[in-house]
Amino acid sequence: MATATSADVQNARKHLNQHGFTVIPNLMDRAKIADLKARVDRMLAHEREQPFDSGDGPAIPSDDGYCSEYGPFVADKEESERVKKRIRADRAREFDTPWPVPPEEVCISFFHLPSIFDDGRSQRIFNLMNKDAAFAPLIEHPVVLELMDAELGRDAILLDVSINNVGPHTNSGGWHIDSPISFVPEPLPNFTLAVQTVWMLDDFTADNGATHVVAGSHLTLKRPPKGRDSMDTEVVIEAPAGSLAIWLSQTWHRHGSNVTDRARTGLIAQYGRAWVKPFVDLRTPLTADFARQLSPRLRYMMGCNANAPVRG
C-alpha cells in the first residue's frame, strides 16, 4: 500500500467539503491491484454460476409490485424472480411481517436489489467483507480512517462493502444521492450522515463508466433531478487503478456509460455515523473464525458491539 501524508489527507478533506468529492491517486500498488482484481473476478464468476439461494416464503398479493423495475438496477426475468424470492424468504424469517408502504416508498436499506443486471452485463457482489478478509486493509486504510474520523466521528460504522462491476456497452445510471438520506424530505440535512468511497480496481475513464459527480451539489440541500442529463458543474472522476474516490452521500452522482468492450470494477465502501442504520447487515453473517482475521476496529465498524442491547 502507498502512503499519503497528513497534508495530503487535510487537502483531500478540504476539497471534499468544498466540492462534495475528492480523489487520492495511486494509493495501491500494481501487485495488490492484480491480487484483489483476481479475487473479485473469481467471486463474480462463482456468484454468476451459483446465485445465492435464500430459500423462499409465502407470497402475498402486494409481491407483484416488488419487481426488478424498482430501484437503480434493472434485472432480467430470472434475476427478478430471485430478488422476489429473497424478499419472501426474509419476510418469512421476520415473522411474516409485510412492509406497510408500496415498493417505491420502502427504505432502500430494507430492499433486496438484483446482483446481476443490465441484461446480464453488470454485476454487484454484496457483503464483500464477509467473503474475503484480503479486502480488510482497504476498508481500514489509514487515509480512509483519518478522513472518516474527522467527518463522521471515531465511532463511525460501515454501511456497505460491495463490488460494482459496470459491464461493457451499458448505459449510464441516473443521478441520485445515497442512503441514508435518499428518502429524507428537502431541505436535506446540512451535515454529513454518510461518506462513500470507491477503490478503483481498474482505470476509471470517461469511456468505461467512471463515476460522474456534480461539484458543489452537496450544498444545495436538494435531491438531483431525475434522469441522466448533463449538469453545469458535472465532473467525471478519471484516475488510474489503485486510486481512491470519495464523495459525500448527499453529493449528486451517477456512473457513466461504458462504451468499451470491457467491464469496469470498483470496490464500494460506505461509512456512516454510528446511529445510522446500515445498507447491508454485515454483522449477522460474521463467524468467529472469520472475525479473528479482522481487527477490533473493523469488527466494530461491521456491527460488533455496535447494536442496541436487549435491556432487561
Side-chain angles (χ1 to χ4, degrees), residues 60-70 84 102-104 111:
I60 60 177
S62 61
D63 286 346
D64 289 340
Y66 298 114
C67 60
S68 62
E69 284 71 28
Y70 170 68
K84 286 189 278 190
E104 62 273 12
F111 202 95

Side-chain angles (χ1 to χ4, degrees), residues 222-300:
K222 294 181 178 180
R223 294 190 192 86
K226 293 182 178 180
R228 305 179 176 90
D229 291 345
S230 60
M231 302 280 183
D232 289 340
T233 58
E234 183 175 347
V235 176
V236 181
I237 299 180
E238 296 187 276
S243 301
L244 175 68
I246 306 169
W247 60 85
L248 305 176
S249 288
Q250 65 267 39
T251 300
W252 304 356
H253 60 282
R254 64 184 174 93
H255 72 79
S257 301
N258 184 351
V259 300
T260 73
D261 296 327
R262 301 181 62 183
R264 187 274 289 160
T265 305
L267 186 159
I268 296 172
Q270 188 187 25
Y271 303 76
R273 296 189 183 271
W275 40 269
V276 170
K277 188 176 287 291
F279 183 72
V280 172
D281 181 357
L282 299 168
R283 170 64 186 88
T284 299
L286 189 61
T287 65
D289 288 341
F290 198 91
R292 280 191 282 270
Q293 302 177 61
L294 309 176
S295 73
R297 175 75 185 265
L298 184 48
R299 293 198 303 269
Y300 172 83

Side-chain angles (χ1 to χ4, degrees), residues 61-98:
S62 61
D63 286 346
D64 289 340
Y66 298 114
C67 60
S68 62
E69 284 71 28
Y70 170 68
F73 310 118
V74 178
D76 61 17
K77 184 176 181 181
E78 287 186 1
E79 180 68 0
S80 175
E81 290 304 313
R82 286 191 288 264
V83 168
K84 286 189 278 190
K85 185 178 176 182
R86 291 165 195 157
I87 290 171
R88 293 193 298 264
D90 269 6
R91 184 175 58 227
R93 282 188 286 269
E94 296 289 343
F95 316 108
D96 295 318
T97 306

Side-chain angles (χ1 to χ4, degrees), residues 38-66:
R39 292 170 184 267
V40 166
D41 288 343
R42 287 194 293 270
M43 270 188 271
L44 288 168
H46 174 76
E47 295 192 7
R48 186 176 287 271
E49 293 166 5
Q50 301 182 45
F52 171 60
D53 186 352
S54 61
D56 206 340
I60 60 177
S62 61
D63 286 346
D64 289 340
Y66 298 114

Side-chain angles (χ1 to χ4, degrees), residues 144-268:
V144 174
L145 292 187
E146 185 174 344
L147 278 167
M148 297 310 137
D149 287 352
E151 288 294 319
L152 301 170
R154 292 178 60 198
D155 62 345
I157 60 171
L158 277 167
L159 307 183
D160 180 30
V161 184
S162 59
I163 291 293
N164 189 13
N165 187 250
V166 177
H169 305 291
T170 52
N171 292 327
S172 67
W175 292 111
H176 64 282
I177 53 177
D178 287 328
S179 173
I181 59 173
S182 308
F183 290 94
V184 174
E186 296 178 353
L188 301 178
N190 62 359
F191 66 98
T192 299
L193 295 178
V195 178
Q196 193 79 281
T197 68
V198 174
W199 288 91
M200 303 177 189
L201 299 183
D202 290 308
D203 295 342
F204 272 41
T205 71
D207 287 338
N208 74 357
T211 304
H212 295 224
V213 296
V214 179
S217 57
H218 64 303
L219 301 174
T220 67
L221 306 185
K222 294 181 178 180
R223 294 190 192 86
K226 293 182 178 180
R228 305 179 176 90
D229 291 345
S230 60
M231 302 280 183
D232 289 340
T233 58
E234 183 175 347
V235 176
V236 181
I237 299 180
E238 296 187 276
S243 301
L244 175 68
I246 306 169
W247 60 85
L248 305 176
S249 288
Q250 65 267 39
T251 300
W252 304 356
H253 60 282
R254 64 184 174 93
H255 72 79
S257 301
N258 184 351
V259 300
T260 73
D261 296 327
R262 301 181 62 183
R264 187 274 289 160
T265 305
L267 186 159
I268 296 172

Side-chain angles (χ1 to χ4, degrees), residues 103-178:
E104 62 273 12
E105 296 178 22
V106 175
C107 174
I108 197 170
S109 295
F110 303 160
F111 202 95
H112 282 279
L113 296 172
S115 57
I116 301 171
F117 50 100
D118 285 337
D119 295 322
R121 292 191 290 269
S122 296
Q123 191 173 351
R124 292 290 289 264
I125 299 174
F126 290 110
N127 220 323
L128 177 71
M129 203 54 257
N130 275 293
K131 296 176 178 177
D132 193 337
F135 296 94
L138 299 186
I139 308 307
E140 54 181 346
H141 191 286
V143 169
V144 174
L145 292 187
E146 185 174 344
L147 278 167
M148 297 310 137
D149 287 352
E151 288 294 319
L152 301 170
R154 292 178 60 198
D155 62 345
I157 60 171
L158 277 167
L159 307 183
D160 180 30
V161 184
S162 59
I163 291 293
N164 189 13
N165 187 250
V166 177
H169 305 291
T170 52
N171 292 327
S172 67
W175 292 111
H176 64 282
I177 53 177
D178 287 328

